[in-house]
Amino acid sequence: MVVRAGREFLAIPGPTTMPDEVLRAMHRPAADIYGPELIALTDSLLADLSRLFRTKGRSYIYIANGHGAWEAALTNVLSRGDKILVLESGRFAIGWGDAAAELGVEVEILKGDWRRAVRPAEVEARLRADTERRIKAVLTVQIDTAAGVANDIEAIGKAIRAANHDALYMVDTVASLACVPFEMDEWGVDVAMSASQKGLMTPPGLGFVAVGDRARKAHATANLKTPYWDWTAREGEEHYRKYAGTPPVHLMYALRAALDMIFEEGLENAHTRHRLLAEAVRHAASAWADKGALAFNVTEPGERSNTVTTVLVDGDGVAARLQDYCKSKCGVVLGTGIGALSGKAFRIAHMGHVNAPMVLGTLGVIEVGLNALKIPHGTGGVQAATKYLGDNVPA
Ligand SMILES: *Cc1c(COP(=O)(O)O)cnc(C)c1O
């Protein structure tokens, strides 16, 4: 017996559900990449990406996933032997740092752990101790998708300036751009990167980097530059050069449709929607965690992210059984625990094209699974979520 039918619902933190508008935008014949329509499309995307990152600086589009955009960010501003500081808060900043190490950069990790956000005071203290100013860049993620933790990018920026340190501030916004506030210029971020398939509701395959003035200065002397990632090679008027080759035509149309939807909703409204839906998820998870086998991974409530919630599950194989039930019986795909949380957690994504029925449906299915599998848990999760939304989304 199953209660699934039709389209499977993805509640994984990327790739995320794509709106029909985005899917439809790609259904078109091959285009003339030298014609005015495509050139105007590129110009609009680059301008709107900078608008999303909230920077006066220039943005670049790569045919790549987030890992590619990581490499683009690193190679354009660093040189072999440079030292960087990576702020640990789960998995993704560490992964970015690993890429830097393979490129020949010396990587120091500011220890954190999987259950909490980066502490800005620790960043300031470490940078103050760098009296020789060897650290050339500080890498962090806004939201760590594995841990479900949100870092305070503004506060970390302030900590870097309070230490009077001139390291570049580089931020991964793959799991946060367009979902939660990000203020590249105001928060002193020098390089920000993102990708298409999470908050931006677009197929995987596009990576984005936005660049501030200080990063552009570092770029002039960076020796890790390679032909494909190089910002300078992508400047100038020729359309083909802006992608270092053939433009990703259909993904560009998809991204255009997604950005149109985001701006039509209004960026602030999109942030509010994410916050409300995330809060609903947290109300449910907190009821479940009241007793039994479930718990929030992130211990500090204020550090839980508005795009993904990581729920720890006690017991060998229990998380996997729950995920399997939700998928095979109810057609809802939950995220798995990854990295240090492999086999010990599931994740609920609430980023991008999400609304109340999607989130409440997902929570309901999880509760069905918890009951069917007799996993001990506090009751009333869905009720807590609906009550929260009823109380906070005024008539
Ligand atoms: C998903 C993700 C990445 C990696 O992106 P890919 O497109 O899978 O390469 C990097 N950073 C964060 C925060 C992510 O959530």
Side-chain angles (χ1 to χ4, degrees):
M1 269 183 271
V2 300
V3 285
R4 59 170 295 154
R7 192 184 285 186
E8 193 166 68
F9 182 71
L10 279 190
I12 62 174
T16 60
T17 301
M18 289 181 277
D20 291 343
E21 289 87 333
V22 170
L23 293 172
R24 274 201 302 273
M26 293 183 284
H27 195 75
R28 59 175 73 228
D32 170 14
I33 60 169
Y34 305 99
E37 184 182 334
L38 263 276
I39 294 172
L41 176 56
T42 292
D43 290 345
S44 80
L45 294 176
L46 292 174
D48 281 344
L49 284 167
S50 291
R51 187 173 158 205
L52 266 192
F53 281 113
R54 306 271 298 160
T55 180
K56 292 200 193 66
R58 207 164 172 153
S59 291
Y60 298 88
I61 299 172
Y62 295 92
I63 303 172
N65 54 21
H67 283 70
W70 275 350
E71 202 163 316
L74 296 169
T75 54
N76 272 290
V77 296
L78 296 173
S79 293
R80 226 158 260 107
D82 276 355
K83 176 169 178 165
I84 62 169
L85 183 67
V86 170
L87 312 182
E88 182 180 28
S89 61
R91 177 177 198 262
F92 284 93
I94 300 291
W96 195 5
D98 289 345
E102 286 201 39
L103 289 165
V105 170
E106 188 189 331
V107 176
E108 177 180 325
I109 293 169
L110 185 71
K111 276 304 286 172
D113 71 57
W114 277 70
R115 305 198 65 179
R116 66 152 168 99
V118 170
R119 314 248 156 115
E122 293 173 7
V123 179
E124 183 180 337
R126 177 60 193 94
L127 291 177
R128 279 188 190 282
D130 181 35
T131 50
E132 290 169 34
R133 297 294 187 257
R134 286 207 53 225
I135 296 170
K136 297 296 179 220
V138 174
L139 268 56
T140 192
V141 296
Q142 185 169 26
I143 289 176
D144 186 280
T145 327
V149 79
N151 288 317
D152 187 338
I153 298 304
E154 181 178 18
I156 297 170
K158 281 188 182 144
I160 295 171
R161 285 190 296 281
N164 213 358
H165 201 292
D166 61 2
L168 293 176
Y169 186 24
M170 301 174 66
V171 180
D172 172 332
T173 69
V174 176
S176 53
L177 192 66
C179 306
V180 303
F182 182 75
E183 294 285 344
M184 176 159 167
D185 290 353
E186 203 185 306
W187 296 348
V189 175
D190 298 298
V191 182
M193 53 72 59
S194 197
S196 51
Q197 79 277 18
K198 297 190 185 174
L200 296 180
M201 315 183 288
T202 298
L206 297 179
F208 313 116
V209 177
V211 182
D213 291 340
R214 283 173 10 100
R216 199 161 291 287
K217 263 201 207 96
H219 174 72
T221 56
N223 76 15
L224 285 177
K225 282 178 279 198
T226 63
Y228 183 73
W229 303 123
D230 192 347
W231 296 332
T232 303
R234 288 165 177 259
E235 277 151 24
E237 283 314 299
E238 204 193 329
H239 188 234
Y240 190 76
R241 296 266 26 113
K242 291 187 173 148
Y243 297 92
T246 304
V249 174
H250 291 76
L251 293 178
M252 291 156 61
Y253 280 107
L255 179 63
R256 183 66 264 159
L259 294 177
D260 286 346
M261 287 179 75
I262 291 166
F263 290 128
E264 194 185 325
E265 178 180 12
L267 204 46
E268 276 184 33
N269 293 334
H271 298 161
T272 303
R273 170 170 54 86
H274 279 85
R275 183 171 51 72
L276 290 165
L277 294 172
E279 238 352 285
V281 170
R282 290 190 283 265
H283 274 71
S286 136
W288 298 332
D290 192 38
K291 59 172 184 282
L294 306 188
F296 282 103
N297 176 54
V298 176
T299 46
E300 195 60 50
E303 296 179 353
R304 293 173 188 152
S305 92
N306 281 348
T307 60
V308 56
T309 297
T310 302
V311 180
L312 301 179
V313 187
D314 259 356
D316 246 12
V318 179
R321 286 217 308 283
L322 178 64
Q323 280 175 265
D324 180 59
Y325 180 94
C326 291
K327 180 179 161 83
S328 62
K329 298 289 184 178
C330 305
V332 169
V333 187
L334 299 175
T336 52
I338 58 173
L341 303 181
S342 175
K344 298 180 184 155
F346 67 87
R347 292 179 297 159
I348 308 165
H350 29 89
M351 65 174 82
H353 188 50
V354 285
N355 60 24
M358 293 177 192
V359 166
L360 293 174
T362 300
L363 297 173
V365 161
I366 293 170
E367 236 170 75
V368 170
L370 291 170
N371 288 324
L373 297 167
K374 302 193 166 39
I375 299 169
H377 65 282
T379 56
V382 171
Q383 198 179 348
T386 55
K387 165 134 183 37
Y388 168 79
L389 285 181
D391 288 346
N392 287 277
V393 181

